[in-house]
Amino acid sequence: MKTYKTEQIRNIALIGNAGAGKTTLAEAMLFEGGIINRRGEVTSKNTASDYTDIEHDFENSVFSTLLYTEFKDHKINIIDTPGMKAFAGAVTSSLSVTDTAVCVINTGDGIGAGTESSMRIADKLNKPVIAIANGLDHENANFDKILEEGKARFGGRMTIVQYPVNPGNEFNQVVDVLKMKMYQWGSDGGEPEIIDIPESEKDKADELHNELVEKAAENDEALMELYFDKGTLTEDEMRQGMKLGMKDSTLMPVFCTCAKKDMGIRRLIEFIINIVAAPNEYPMREELNGKDVKMDTDSPASMFVFKTSLEPHIGEVIYFKVMSGKISEGMDLINTSRSNKERLSTLYTVAGKNRTKVSEIVAGDIGATVKLKETKVNHTLSTKDADYKFAPVEFPKPLTTVAIKALSEADEEKVGEGLHRLRDEDPSFIVNFSKELKQLIVQAQSEYHLNVIKWFFDNEYKIEIGYKTPKVPYRETITKAAQSDYRHKKQSGGSGQFGEVHMIIEPYEEDMPAPKHFKIDGKDWQVSLRGTEEHELPWGGKLVFCNCIVGGSIDARFHPAILKGIMEKMEEGPLTGSYARDIRVCIYDGKMHPVDSNEISFKLAGRHAFSTAFKNADPKILEPIYNLDVYTPSERMGDVMSDLQGRRSIIMGMGSDKGYEKISAKVPLKEMSNYTTSLNSLTGGRGWFTFEFDAYDKVPSDVQQELLKAYEEEQAEE
Ligand SMILES: Nc1nc2c(ncn2[C@@H]2O[C@H](COP(=O)(O)OP(=O)(O)O)[C@@H](O)[C@H]2O)c(=O)[nH]1
Ligand SMILES: [Mg+2]
């Protein structure tokens, strides 16, 4: 294969709804570039992209796929992304290493929720976008509707470069208002006939041409002046203006294709070569060691890993972008994220399932290697001296949480291993074992995302797993002061055990005054404070331990044991075994025995006294409350609202944001399970949300009763 210079490289990502035609478009682009010599079909499971078993089973892209095509002395790296919202992680990492998003829209269908979600990611990462109106041969292809919907959702930036003359089954003509020519294809697509715009289309073409010229000129004063002087712009001037408009997200040029019949592909490739700049013309990815990195071949070599995947017969394949210098076969680099050396024994340029060995990959280009020791997604490899470390891809936060379990206990360890392997490949889900809940927790983007994990366990690891709603990390606290004392006494043979502790406990609050006087059940108590220890609890909240002992009734050497006893009970709350928090304990009296008192005795006395006091202090269960921001199309607002009300939520605010209604609410975590699925079905997949832990709050008394009952039953079973 030819070696390319940085200036000859273009990096794009195909984004958009599942079924829009991205994988088919990629196939046509490879075919046009001569990379493959016949076009596969998604339905025949023989495309260059979508080549894995799971994608064949799901009949959908699940991963991002690296591909490339070659055209007129340029190499275009194409990353085909999966369209479903579940795979937002793959869209994010793909856009992070490419310079322009090519957003494919199915004109026989509609914009689609996956398109919107991918576009949100492209916008967040400030990527220029080219829109493709694909599937113009569909019987019901409706170009105008797509344009109208697109403008409503993505703003007025959608600007026609091409429009179809005869959308529908017979589709084969496009008017190009940049070139001011008509393109016409034979039934096999491929190379078009370029002809003059027929009289019947002239007025429309002129009008759209002027719109495009204005849009191209509006981002640059010099161009604007030229336009006023001459009344038009040359093709080159327009390109220059369009480039600027795309960079500023004020212009999203619209092209027309029928990917399935290879119509409009060649023109699209040419446009990409002309309008997408070389990778070194875009801002450099942030470097974390404060180095000034240049994307040129003279700089020290470095590469950034954006994807890994385990592939049959070849092992783990590591996909990377060369950030600086040249990577050559046999080179040793340092993984600066792990500080170990890695040898790049084999380098590939990749067209989906087809890999070609190359001896060198230059700055800006994207390739793959194998047999690295410890290199994972988001790692940087660089020369030792350069010591570059690029900012990691920020993967989307998971939105669905489940507990996962092997159906057979013997497989438990393997489940953990399998999950970690999958997680290495897809950092948009998170795995951890919760010591508190005693459950293995998986957080993913959606239920569909969880189906992918299940598929791997069923088909590759051959381990049966099950998902369950995870337990809620409740907390316990008290709402009034209570007093109790406890004597631990044991006489067994020789030396005995003796410890007696008297305490008052009360709810802890920030900045509360020092303890002095209590009134408990009509009785007055006075204490005098000697010392205070404040303990931040690992599970949130505080335990404040006040020494109010007078007359040395308990030696200071036993205080740590008393604290330990209390802490043990805090860790396993008296109500439901959940962590307790926000309590102030005053130890004000007790008794020792000259011989039998020891640490264990005081620990037990502390523990029991605390437990009794806790139960008398009007204890309450606390639940985690989350701040939720939901975005919904306005016509679904009512349904989304009433669903939220059914989830014990408190609406905090409402507003409009980019054509969406935004609802902010506080919702108990317990009510959030299955929210991704519910919101999807309420909004036809278009709604989305973000949520974040806010605080713990008391559960309503009916919920408390339910939880106490459930805990009792659970205890009885054990
Ligand atoms: N009629 C027609 N079908 C298309 C076109 N592009 C793709 N398809 C079909 O639409 C289906 C989904 O295409 P695919 O490329 O997998 O979409 P992706 O999910 O965006 O990757 C496949 O069956 C394709 O053959 C097109 O331009 N016209
Ligand atoms: Mg696809």
Side-chain angles (χ1 to χ4, degrees):
M1 153 164 191
K2 187 173 155 20
T3 32
Y4 290 93
K5 298 201 184 77
T6 304
E7 296 71 45
Q8 294 169 301
I9 299 196
R10 302 288 181 269
N11 293 324
I12 62 162
L14 303 178
I15 64 169
N17 218 37
K22 298 176 294 299
T23 299
T24 310
L25 181 76
E27 192 78 2
M29 287 178 80
L30 267 59
F31 177 74
E32 282 299 324
I35 306 302
I36 51 178
N37 48 29
R38 68 179 279 278
R39 282 182 296 128
E41 279 260 6
V42 174
T43 39
S44 313
K45 306 184 196 295
N46 62 353
T47 48
S49 181
D50 278 15
Y51 58 91
T52 62
D53 289 344
I54 180 170
E55 289 171 311
H56 292 162
D57 267 14
F58 279 39
E59 295 185 348
N60 225 318
S61 306
V62 170
F63 307 111
S64 59
T65 309
L66 174 62
L67 307 136
Y68 75 94
T69 193
E70 292 174 300
F71 209 78
K72 294 194 175 155
D73 269 341
H74 286 80
K75 179 187 183 207
I76 307 178
N77 289 308
I78 305 163
I79 307 186
D80 180 22
T81 68
M84 304 199 53
K85 280 204 288 190
F87 308 123
V91 176
T92 307
S93 57
S94 304
L95 283 170
S96 297
V97 292
T98 50
D99 300 311
T100 294
V102 173
C103 178
V104 185
I105 299 164
N106 183 345
T107 50
D109 204 349
I111 295 285
T115 308
E116 284 184 86
S117 113
S118 300
M119 279 294 289
R120 278 196 292 275
I121 301 170
D123 285 345
K124 194 173 159 209
L125 297 173
N126 280 325
K127 296 292 165 178
V129 184
I130 298 170
I132 308 294
N134 183 47
L136 285 160
D137 61 324
H138 284 298
E139 196 171 358
N140 56 343
N142 191 337
F143 182 75
D144 297 334
K145 180 180 144 230
I146 291 296
L147 214 69
E148 195 183 311
E149 260 184 35
K151 281 187 174 163
R153 295 184 194 181
F154 312 133
R157 59 184 148 160
M158 272 183 125
T159 311
I160 294 176
V161 175
Q162 296 181 335
Y163 72 87
V165 177
N166 56 347
N169 291 147
E170 304 298 317
F171 168 76
N172 73 335
Q173 292 172 329
V174 155
V175 168
D176 190 306
V177 302
L178 174 59
K179 296 256 189 209
M180 285 310 272
K181 285 285 173 193
M182 183 158 99
Y183 291 66
Q184 180 170 294
W185 291 271
S187 52
D188 286 342
E191 180 144 19
E193 211 184 320
I194 303 177
I195 50 184
D196 286 337
I197 296 174
E199 208 50 48
S200 54
E201 296 295 328
K202 261 226 137 75
D203 289 349
K204 185 174 178 185
D206 281 340
E207 193 186 317
L208 290 170
H209 177 77
N210 287 339
E211 260 177 45
L212 181 63
V213 177
E214 272 174 38
K215 202 82 187 171
E218 80 181 17
N219 294 289
D220 188 276
E221 258 174 54
L223 282 179
M224 207 61 174
E225 253 168 53
L226 272 177
Y227 174 51
F228 281 135
D229 281 357
K230 300 190 297 178
T232 186
L233 294 177
T234 64
E235 214 182 299
D236 268 348
E237 288 160 353
M238 283 177 71
R239 261 196 216 113
Q240 190 192 327
M242 288 173 76
K243 238 178 177 169
L244 284 174
M246 284 169 64
K247 189 173 133 255
D248 296 345
S249 296
T250 58
L251 188 147
M252 178 168 157
V254 181
F255 279 76
C256 292
T257 61
C258 168
K260 194 167 179 166
K261 295 184 186 156
D262 189 15
M263 294 177 180
I265 309 306
R266 216 171 262 214
R267 168 80 178 101
L268 175 66
I269 297 177
E270 275 177 10
F271 182 76
I272 289 170
I273 290 172
N274 287 328
I275 207 121
V276 177
N280 55 356
E281 290 181 44
Y282 292 91
M284 187 64 172
R285 186 165 194 82
E286 189 194 348
E287 199 283 329
L288 301 175
N289 290 338
K291 310 275 170 110
D292 181 23
V293 190
K294 294 214 164 43
M295 192 174 273
D296 60 35
T297 41
D298 299 331
S299 295
S302 71
M303 56 188 251
F304 178 73
V305 176
F306 65 95
K307 168 186 159 86
T308 65
S309 79
L310 202 62
E311 312 230 347
H313 315 300
I314 158 159
E316 183 156 47
V317 184
I318 291 101
Y319 295 86
F320 60 86
K321 179 174 183 178
V322 180
M323 303 302 282
S324 58
K326 281 185 226 168
I327 304 287
S328 45
E329 199 180 45
M331 195 175 217
D332 285 331
L333 289 177
I334 303 293
N335 177 331
T336 54
S337 312
R338 287 285 160 87
S339 307
N340 66 310
K341 197 165 86 177
E342 296 277 19
R343 169 153 300 178
L344 300 161
S345 51
T346 325
L347 299 173
Y348 297 102
T349 195
V350 182
K353 62 185 164 189
N354 311 310
R355 298 175 200 89
T356 315
K357 268 194 196 178
V358 290
S359 56
E360 187 178 275
I361 304 180
V362 300
D365 202 353
I366 299 176
T369 185
V370 288
K371 297 197 176 70
L372 298 190
K373 285 178 285 193
E374 281 187 59
T375 299
K376 305 274 177 246
V377 173
N378 273 339
H379 289 181
T380 299
L381 267 56
S382 87
T383 61
K384 193 164 191 256
D385 297 338
D387 192 27
Y388 297 153
K389 194 181 203 172
F390 293 98
V393 172
E394 273 179 47
F395 283 91
K397 276 196 202 162
L399 299 167
T400 298
T401 306
V402 290
I404 182 173
K405 214 172 156 39
L407 297 194
S408 143
E409 231 167 78
D411 287 334
E412 237 159 64
E413 207 166 302
K414 284 194 235 150
V415 171
E417 282 165 21
L419 283 172
H420 281 104
R421 217 190 81 192
L422 290 173
R423 140 95 209 179
D424 277 347
E425 288 185 16
D426 180 358
S428 69
F429 76 84
I430 294 176
V431 190
N432 73 297
F433 182 79
S434 164
K435 236 179 81 188
E436 172 181 4
L437 307 175
K438 300 183 185 65
Q439 287 182 315
L440 186 56
I441 301 291
V442 176
Q443 293 173 276
Q445 297 295 318
S446 65
E447 259 93 305
Y448 197 87
H449 200 196
L450 290 168
N451 291 345
V452 172
I453 299 174
K454 176 98 170 65
W455 186 93
F456 275 96
F457 279 101
D458 287 348
N459 294 279
E460 303 241 317
Y461 309 152
K462 314 267 187 226
I463 298 171
E464 280 191 283
I465 56 151
Y467 292 136
K468 241 171 70 167
T469 309
K471 289 186 197 151
V472 174
Y474 291 108
R475 298 287 180 264
E476 299 179 11
T477 197
I478 54 173
T479 56
K480 64 173 199 187
Q483 183 277 338
S484 106
D485 41 64
Y486 189 88
R487 174 183 294 177
H488 174 75
K489 190 177 169 186
K490 212 164 154 190
Q491 210 61 55
S492 56
S495 64
Q497 293 186 349
F498 186 93
E500 184 173 320
V501 172
H502 299 210
M503 68 170 72
I504 291 172
I505 67 172
E506 62 182 326
Y508 164 79
E509 276 161 40
E510 207 73 45
D511 299 324
M512 65 197 295
K516 201 167 170 193
H517 169 253
F518 295 94
K519 198 171 184 93
I520 299 169
D521 298 331
K523 199 173 157 194
D524 285 307
W525 302 81
Q526 297 287 343
V527 296
S528 63
L529 181 66
R530 296 295 161 94
T532 305
E533 287 175 35
E534 260 195 41
H535 296 274
E536 295 273 357
L537 300 166
W539 50 86
K542 277 185 184 165
L543 166 68
V544 177
F545 183 79
C546 295
N547 170 11
C548 305
I549 289 173
V550 277
S553 55
I554 306 172
D555 273 359
R557 66 191 162 107
F558 294 128
H559 295 180
I562 299 172
L563 175 65
K564 202 163 172 206
I566 294 169
M567 206 53 127
E568 274 180 16
K569 204 58 215 168
M570 297 268 300
E571 235 177 277
E572 202 198 312
L575 290 181
T576 59
S578 308
Y579 293 135
R581 57 178 283 168
D582 298 328
I583 296 169
R584 184 158 80 175
V585 183
C586 297
I587 310 293
Y588 65 89
D589 202 359
K591 251 192 202 108
M592 293 182 291
H593 183 277
V595 184
D596 293 349
S597 276
N598 57 10
E599 284 180 5
I600 185 91
S601 309
F602 276 101
K603 191 178 97 169
L604 288 168
R607 183 186 162 108
H608 284 289
F610 179 77
S611 187
T612 310
F614 194 96
K615 285 179 184 153
N616 293 330
D618 202 1
K620 289 278 186 277
I621 298 172
L622 305 175
E623 63 181 340
I625 307 291
Y626 276 69
N627 282 326
L628 172 72
D629 284 334
V630 191
Y631 299 80
T632 164
S634 23
E635 64 273 19
R636 302 298 168 87
M637 172 87 161
D639 297 337
V640 172
M641 268 299 219
S642 50
D643 171 81
L644 278 178
Q645 270 143 13
R647 295 175 189 270
R648 292 196 280 127
S649 65
I650 302 170
I651 307 296
M652 305 301 289
M654 279 183 266
S656 296
D657 191 16
K658 293 189 192 111
Y660 274 81
E661 301 297 324
K662 176 184 171 186
I663 309 169
S664 302
K666 291 196 186 293
V667 192
L669 177 64
K670 180 175 190 290
E671 309 296 330
M672 281 296 289
S673 71
N674 79 5
Y675 193 61
T676 16
T677 311
S678 300
L679 186 65
N680 273 337
S681 69
L682 287 173
T683 62
R686 291 188 59 203
W688 54 288
F689 69 95
T690 61
F691 76 138
E692 208 170 32
F693 173 73
D694 175 37
Y696 271 94
D697 199 7
K698 296 179 192 92
V699 302
S701 56
D702 55 326
V703 177
Q704 173 141 336
Q705 288 317 313
E706 269 169 41
L707 291 170
L708 290 176
K709 201 167 146 236
Y711 183 66
E712 238 169 65
E713 283 167 8
E714 199 182 295
Q715 292 302 96
E717 262 173 46
E718 282 173 14

